[in-house]
Amino acid sequence: MLRSYSRELFERAQHQYYSCCTRRWFQAIPVIDVEPLVNQQQNAAEVGQQLHKACTDVGFFYVANHGVPAQTCQNVLKEAHAWFALPEHIKKQILIRPDTHYRGYQQLGANVTRYEEGYQRDWHEAIDLYREQSPKACPSSPIHGPNQWPTQLPTFDTALREYIGSMLHLGEHLMRGIAIGLGLPASFFEGSRAGAQQSYWCTRVIHYPPLAEGTSHRKREGGVRETAAAALQGADIERSVQLSCGEHTDYGLLTLVNQDSHVCALQVKNQQGQWINADPIPGTFVCNIGDMLKIWSNGMYRPTPHRVINADPSRSRVSIPFFYEPCYEALVEPPVELVIKGDSRPEQQRFVRYGSHLEGKVLNNFEL
């Protein structure tokens, strides 16, 4: 039974999705009721099949009836707004640097989106947190270390820790469903692959001010506000144009996004090059798959490009994506079941050590 969000919104989104969706030519994003999966009910396999279809056809989906209390989701967003409103010198107490293991606060424009000709600074500020790992761990990594938690606002610190715990639990359940959808044992991703106790999870708390402020602050890129507004209506734009977050795919396993309900800013790109809005649906998380699931599915699933554009002239947006990731030392490679299935799918993806993949991405995320 659908309880925690609007049935009307659910039915409308489902109708749009199933009436319009051709493989990767989607015009809407499916909403999946995951209660049977979370509560380990008998019809959990049906949810697995819905996840499989969404991962194959879209790469994005909303999850409803996910079991994370609404108060947990709303409270952490409220506290994040309060933290980002603190004076800059207070926020810089946890400033991200190489010697903080790339954990902590990144100032406006520090995060960049790279493309073939260079990079563009994304107009947002954020806090980056990862699973804590001793910097003396062997093998060593420049990313291993303690987090810089936002203790400047103790209520935010508490809310964030509660949120992360809930998301780890949900992420593990969703990965069980994805495994079922792939025809693998439900426990395939657990343990040393991507078990909740070892997942090298990441949480980003992101504040997107109005993009127009970026234009004024940087004294260049004239017309960005108008260009961004056109992009929000589906226009394609040059990669050099500054956005709240430029076009990219996620480099991990599974992303779950808790986002403000009052600003529509997230867009997803279908295979026709059209940008489809992923507007907030109260009571849901919007989820997307990353590069590692492409490998584990032997290319059956592909991450979908997306971007963020806060073209609202006056209102900020906060989102808190939780990245449920493989274990740091996991060797990500297609399982034999997906390599030989039907004798029609030779191995398409080479294995990677997740930690090495992550280091290569994180160390190129910033221009500090």
Side-chain angles (χ1 to χ4, degrees):
M1 181 182 297
L2 305 176
R3 296 187 297 273
S4 59
Y5 65 106
S6 166
R7 175 178 292 275
E8 180 183 355
L9 284 172
F10 170 79
E11 291 177 345
R12 184 186 309 155
Q14 290 293 72
H15 174 74
Q16 289 176 333
Y17 172 65
Y18 288 114
S19 63
C20 299
C21 184
T22 306
R23 284 184 182 271
R24 294 285 169 167
W25 290 12
F26 59 90
Q27 295 294 309
I29 297 170
V31 182
I32 301 175
D33 180 356
V34 297
E35 182 179 28
L37 191 62
V38 172
N39 293 334
Q40 302 181 45
Q41 298 171 0
Q42 288 186 347
N43 56 337
E46 297 177 12
V47 179
Q49 291 307 311
Q50 293 178 55
L51 289 169
H52 175 69
K53 182 171 178 58
C55 290
T56 303
D57 293 351
V58 183
F60 268 75
F61 51 90
Y62 296 91
V63 295
N65 291 330
H66 43 67
V68 180
Q71 184 175 0
T72 298
C73 300
Q74 294 163 6
N75 192 41
V76 73
L77 288 169
K78 181 190 74 173
E79 294 289 345
H81 275 281
W83 193 89
F84 283 116
L86 293 173
E88 189 72 9
H89 73 276
I90 299 293
K91 294 185 287 188
K92 288 173 69 174
Q93 291 175 0
I94 58 168
L95 189 66
I96 197 169
R97 301 185 307 272
D99 64 346
T100 67
H101 312 285
Y102 300 93
R103 299 162 186 250
Y105 169 64
Q106 55 183 262
Q107 296 175 278
L108 283 165
N111 195 89
V112 301
T113 297
R114 299 191 186 277
Y115 54 97
E116 189 173 339
E117 293 81 15
Y119 67 86
Q120 179 54 277
R121 294 184 179 272
D122 298 321
W123 194 241
H124 66 250
E125 57 182 337
I127 301 171
D128 285 10
L129 305 166
Y130 297 86
R131 180 180 184 268
E132 293 183 304
Q133 180 86 17
S134 170
K136 297 180 180 180
C138 185
S140 63
S141 169
I143 303 171
H144 287 343
N147 283 322
Q148 297 197 90
W149 294 92
T151 54
Q152 299 81 6
L153 198 61
T155 50
F156 179 36
D157 180 46
T158 300
L160 192 52
R161 291 174 187 267
E162 178 185 350
Y163 173 76
I164 290 170
S166 296
M167 300 306 285
L168 260 174
H169 181 73
L170 174 59
E172 186 171 48
H173 280 296
L174 292 179
M175 291 312 303
R176 289 179 66 87
I178 288 173
I180 292 170
L182 284 167
L184 301 171
S187 61
F188 176 81
F189 291 106
E190 296 176 7
S192 61
R193 289 191 178 101
Q197 296 303 313
Q198 300 180 58
S199 165
Y200 209 85
W201 57 263
C202 172
T203 294
R204 301 195 71 220
V205 187
I206 312 174
H207 172 228
Y208 300 97
L211 195 52
E213 294 180 7
T215 308
S216 172
H217 177 81
R218 289 163 57 80
K219 305 295 184 185
R220 64 187 193 190
E221 301 279 10
V224 165
R225 179 176 176 181
E226 291 74 17
T227 304
L232 197 60
Q233 299 304 313
D236 214 358
I237 58 174
E238 295 293 327
R239 295 294 300 276
S240 60
V241 173
Q242 185 185 48
L243 300 178
S244 303
C245 187
E247 178 182 343
H248 66 284
T249 59
D250 290 353
Y251 43 77
L253 189 59
L254 179 68
T255 307
L256 302 88
V257 181
N258 179 23
Q259 56 181 331
D260 276 337
S261 61
H262 62 274
V263 176
C264 301
L266 178 61
Q267 292 187 316
V268 181
K269 191 176 188 179
N270 69 17
Q271 202 161 326
Q272 293 175 298
Q274 299 171 317
W275 288 99
I276 309 301
N277 292 335
D279 294 340
I281 298 180
T284 72
F285 297 112
V286 61
C287 304
N288 61 280
I289 59 177
D291 295 339
M292 297 300 95
L293 201 48
K294 179 181 180 181
I295 297 175
W296 258 319
S297 69
N298 197 27
M300 194 180 309
Y301 300 165
R302 288 170 290 148
T304 305
H306 49 285
R307 66 188 183 186
V308 179
I309 304 171
N310 181 13
D312 191 291
S314 60
R315 295 184 297 179
S316 289
R317 172 185 185 260
V318 165
S319 75
I320 308 180
F322 178 84
F323 302 87
Y324 189 92
E325 305 293 41
C327 307
Y328 201 84
E329 295 299 331
L331 294 180
V332 182
E333 59 184 334
V336 65
E337 297 93 328
L338 300 184
V339 174
I340 65 174
K341 181 178 283 187
D343 295 327
S344 62
R345 293 188 61 80
E347 186 172 358
Q348 297 182 3
Q349 307 296 321
R350 300 186 64 181
F351 81 88
V352 301
R353 172 181 174 264
Y354 177 65
S356 301
H357 175 77
L358 179 64
E359 288 174 11
K361 297 293 185 179
V362 171
L363 300 185
N364 281 284
N365 273 354
F366 309 107
E367 290 290 332
L368 300 174

